[in-house]
Amino acid sequence: MPLGGIQDLRLCLPKYMAREPEGTERHCTSFGLPVSKSTRSHHFRILREAGLIRQVDRGNSRMAQLRTADLEARYPGLITLIRNNPAPGPATD
């Protein structure tokens, strides 16, 4: 996968999560990402460390949730911007 495609994953995941009802938890594999398990874990770790998502262990799986209220309190309008931003397209040279 080209580097641009990898970076696009981190742009798309919060967008997909922002379009769901607040508080929705999704299993990390439910996004159907075309990457290995270790790469997927890495991207979710980056999003978690950036404060965009929280992850909760549920048995032997990990659920991800967008930190909507926290983000909206700190950056008013950010969730709306993420939700309405068009999906990144293929990189052009």
Side-chain angles (χ1 to χ4, degrees):
M1 175 177 280
L3 181 60
I6 291 171
Q7 293 171 341
D8 291 346
L9 288 177
R10 287 187 229 149
L11 296 174
C12 289
L13 289 170
K15 179 180 176 162
Y16 296 142
M17 296 172 87
R19 290 183 172 177
E20 296 179 355
E22 187 171 346
T24 298
E25 291 182 347
R26 285 189 60 177
H27 191 274
C28 297
T29 59
S30 71
F31 292 94
L33 302 176
V35 294
S36 68
K37 182 179 178 180
S38 62
T39 301
R40 183 176 59 237
S41 295
H42 171 73
H43 288 297
F44 277 96
R45 180 177 59 84
I46 297 297
L47 292 170
R48 186 180 66 245
E49 289 177 355
L52 293 172
I53 65 169
R54 75 174 44 91
Q55 288 185 296
V56 180
D57 290 329
R58 302 269 188 237
N60 63 353
S61 63
R62 183 169 275 186
M63 304 297 281
Q65 178 184 44
L66 188 65
R67 297 178 60 194
T68 307
D70 296 338
L71 291 168
E72 194 60 34
R74 187 163 183 156
Y75 306 105
L78 178 64
I79 298 299
T80 303
L81 182 65
I82 290 171
R83 195 176 288 133
N84 296 333
N85 189 32
T92 56
D93 292 336

